[in-house]
Amino acid sequence: MKSGFVAIIGRPNAGKSTLINALLERKLSIVTEKAQTTRNSIKGIYDDDEYQIIFIDTPGIHLAHHSLGRYMNQQAFASAKDVDAIVLVVDGSRKFDAGDTAIQEKIDQNIPLFVVINKIDLLRLPEVIEIKNKYHEVYPNAELIEMSAIENFGIDTLLEKIKPLIKEGPRYFEKDAISDRDPSFFVSEVIREKSLKILKDEVPHNLAVRVDKIKNQKDKCIIDATIIVDKDSHKGIVIGKNGKRIKAIGMQSRVDLEEFYGKKVFLELFVSVKEDWLNNQRLLKELGYN
Ligand SMILES: Nc1nc2c(ncn2[C@@H]2O[C@H](COP(=O)(O)OP(=O)(O)OP(=O)(O)O)[C@@H](O)[C@H]2O)c(=O)[nH]1
Ligand SMILES: [Mg+2]
């Protein structure tokens, strides 16, 4: 069999997680309208019996202002080493700027590179041509691929162009494996996604989810989790008037979790304040950012 690793990197909000989900035809990685949604590298396993390709979704590369941000960037760059190919996802509706140059300077030139011009559903043809010309100039050896990850356009083309780069190798993960991450990671990510969506910009970024208990029984699954915020004033916002928001977060999370477990889920959510957890190494480690 042929097997290998492919890193998906790029700036925040470019559509990396949308792309990995489309490649794997399942919701592996959480997606929101907010930049810096993904915080850890997540391996997603594509396996069609002939090929096992391990795609690595990574946090968006950005100018970091706290320890968590530095951890996120480090995850992205570390994932782009020792891989068979790198997929650089670009938001085609944004102009090339200094942030893109910063990424360019760090990409290993010896690894085959695909530049995915994503979100072409938002562009007119002249804009597509313009951005492709720009990226051709910046990465003359890369293969450029037009994509709308959200509309499933360009996904198969990318996959077919990656396959010839994948060499004979072992099946790294079991046939039915989906990811390198355990269930509690997915539980916390689902709750974080629903929290981000429901809270919109009210508690920006500074929110984490800790799973305290998962009791996976025959007919049901009982989960306790804590939403961690970094300011006292945010606690009330997460809870909402008469607990309205936290109830909504719980209800929406439960829908996804019941699908994930294939059984009834009882979810109890708590909120806790941990001041400046984004800069606290011990707490970062406890929350899985290490
Ligand atoms: N119009 C359009 N929107 C897209 C496309 N792909 C992704 N999006 C949207 O862009 C936003 C960000 O998508 P993500 O997949 O979370 O982006 P990301 O690169 O993983 O972002 P980070 O995890 O923050 O680095 C979401 O609102 C997506 O629905 C696309 O092809 N077209
Ligand atoms: Mg992401």
Side-chain angles (χ1 to χ4, degrees):
M1 111 166 288
K2 292 174 176 167
S3 62
F5 292 79
V6 175
I8 303 174
I9 65 164
R11 298 183 68 176
N13 214 43
K16 301 176 293 299
S17 299
T18 308
L19 168 59
I20 198 170
N21 291 344
L23 282 163
L24 303 175
E25 295 181 46
R26 65 163 69 234
K27 184 165 164 189
L28 178 84
S29 198
I30 63 167
V31 169
T32 79
E33 290 167 17
K34 282 174 185 258
Q36 297 175 37
T37 295
T38 306
R39 287 178 177 166
N40 305 84
S41 287
I42 305 163
K43 292 192 177 84
I45 298 144
Y46 170 93
D47 194 319
D48 67 4
D49 287 328
E50 198 184 342
Y51 290 91
Q52 182 172 76
I53 307 175
I54 295 113
F55 289 100
I56 313 167
D57 187 17
T58 63
I61 298 161
H62 64 289
L63 197 62
H65 296 295
H66 43 62
S67 304
L68 174 64
R70 285 188 285 280
Y71 164 80
M72 287 161 62
N73 284 338
Q74 177 266 329
Q75 284 273 292
F77 286 120
S79 301
K81 290 204 167 77
D82 297 322
V83 284
D84 298 280
I86 295 173
V87 176
L88 171 65
V89 183
V90 171
D91 179 342
S93 67
R94 295 185 68 243
K95 290 261 179 288
F96 188 95
D97 65 23
D100 298 293
T101 309
I103 293 178
Q104 184 204 359
E105 285 165 356
K106 288 204 164 176
I107 290 185
D108 185 339
Q109 306 286 337
N110 299 311
I111 300 175
L113 176 69
F114 295 91
V115 177
V116 162
I117 311 290
N118 193 31
K119 307 198 185 182
I120 61 156
D121 52 290
L122 301 176
L123 305 185
R124 289 176 298 122
L125 188 59
E127 294 167 330
V128 176
I129 294 169
E130 192 188 323
I131 189 114
K132 280 181 81 176
N133 284 343
K134 179 67 198 173
Y135 273 93
H136 183 63
E137 191 188 306
V138 178
Y139 297 105
N141 299 321
E143 175 110 42
L144 298 190
I145 293 167
E146 293 175 24
M147 183 173 289
S148 171
I150 214 168
E151 290 179 359
N152 224 27
F153 175 83
I155 306 290
D156 290 344
T157 309
L158 175 65
L159 195 53
E160 290 315 312
K161 284 183 189 274
I162 287 172
K163 282 182 175 174
L165 298 171
I166 305 298
K167 299 176 197 78
E168 285 297 321
R171 183 173 251 144
Y172 292 100
F173 289 85
E174 282 169 37
K175 169 94 182 81
D176 297 326
I178 299 161
S179 171
D180 61 327
R181 296 280 173 181
D182 62 12
S184 81
F185 176 80
F186 291 103
V187 170
S188 74
E189 288 288 271
V190 163
I191 299 166
R192 196 161 65 82
E193 180 188 69
K194 304 310 173 198
S195 306
L196 290 172
K197 286 187 169 164
I198 287 170
L199 295 163
K200 303 241 164 53
D201 293 322
E202 289 184 273
V203 184
H205 300 311
N206 304 348
L207 182 150
V209 176
R210 188 187 65 215
V211 176
D212 302 312
K213 178 177 94 181
I214 300 181
K215 255 174 105 177
N216 194 354
Q217 300 172 338
K218 212 169 154 204
D219 54 341
K220 62 179 183 287
C221 188
I222 301 164
I223 300 171
D224 288 356
T226 304
I227 298 175
I228 291 164
V229 291
D230 72 336
K231 282 194 188 71
D232 221 21
S233 59
H234 286 168
K235 188 172 173 174
I237 298 172
V238 174
I239 292 170
K241 205 172 167 210
N242 299 329
K244 213 173 143 200
R245 281 221 187 82
I246 193 145
K247 259 188 216 147
I249 294 168
M251 269 161 59
Q252 289 192 17
S253 301
R254 218 168 46 228
V255 173
D256 281 24
L257 293 173
E258 289 190 341
E259 200 183 306
F260 180 74
Y261 280 103
K263 61 181 93 162
K264 196 127 193 71
V265 168
F266 293 88
L267 173 64
E268 190 155 10
L269 288 178
F270 305 88
V271 186
S272 164
V273 183
K274 305 261 187 222
E275 265 176 48
D276 204 28
W277 67 264
L278 296 93
N279 282 307
N280 180 321
Q281 293 305 333
R282 186 185 59 79
L283 285 173
L284 285 170
K285 200 168 168 191
E286 192 183 306
L287 294 165
Y289 305 124
N290 66 321

